[in-house]
Amino acid sequence: MAVRRIVTNIGTDRIEAAKAFYGGILGMSVVMDLGWIMTFATDAQTVPQISIATEGGAGTPVPDISVEVDNIDEVHQRAVAAGLRMEYGPTTESWGVRRFYVRDPFGRLVNILAHI
């Protein structure tokens, strides 16, 4: 037996708001839309992961979701242009990532990061 995928599910009554954040800012594609559920993904091969934490690192709260991107500056510019408030960063952490926190349209704390 092998885990093939881990999916984060976020409950909302504003499902269309996900397109602007997960599609527009993070550049993810809608891979399934059944009206009541919309799933976003990338073309990249991803490895299933789940993290369990007591804090988010550097004394920050544990984020609900962490999203690794290939160009942190581009994603940060999109977030700023969209008027999102930075909850943390952007900053370069001692463990080798550059990251920032924002909230998605559903109030979830999202850690957007790139390995440096």
Side-chain angles (χ1 to χ4, degrees):
M1 195 286 306
V3 174
R4 299 192 56 173
R5 179 170 60 148
I6 295 172
V7 177
T8 300
N9 297 304
I10 298 172
T12 184
D13 60 356
R14 300 179 304 127
I15 199 165
E16 288 293 320
K19 286 183 181 177
F21 185 82
Y22 291 98
I25 292 172
L26 292 174
M28 299 176 78
S29 300
V30 175
V31 296
M32 181 180 72
D33 185 353
L34 300 179
W36 58 271
I37 185 171
M38 186 179 296
T39 301
F40 292 82
T42 66
D43 294 333
Q45 290 286 344
T46 57
V47 177
Q49 293 183 326
I50 186 167
S51 297
I52 311 300
T54 60
E55 67 160 291
T60 65
V62 176
D64 296 297
I65 304 168
S66 291
V67 179
E68 182 180 354
V69 298
D70 62 355
N71 188 330
I72 192 81
D73 295 325
E74 179 182 339
V75 176
H76 180 257
Q77 289 172 352
R78 289 181 191 170
V80 169
L84 297 178
R85 183 173 70 85
M86 296 297 118
E87 298 276 332
Y88 177 73
T91 190
T92 301
E93 303 289 8
S94 63
W95 55 90
V97 299
R98 182 153 178 78
R99 67 183 183 152
F100 63 92
Y101 285 7
V102 294
R103 294 212 178 259
D104 75 2
F106 318 108
R108 303 289 192 234
L109 189 60
V110 181
N111 172 31
I112 301 174
L113 67 114
H115 284 89
I116 52 174

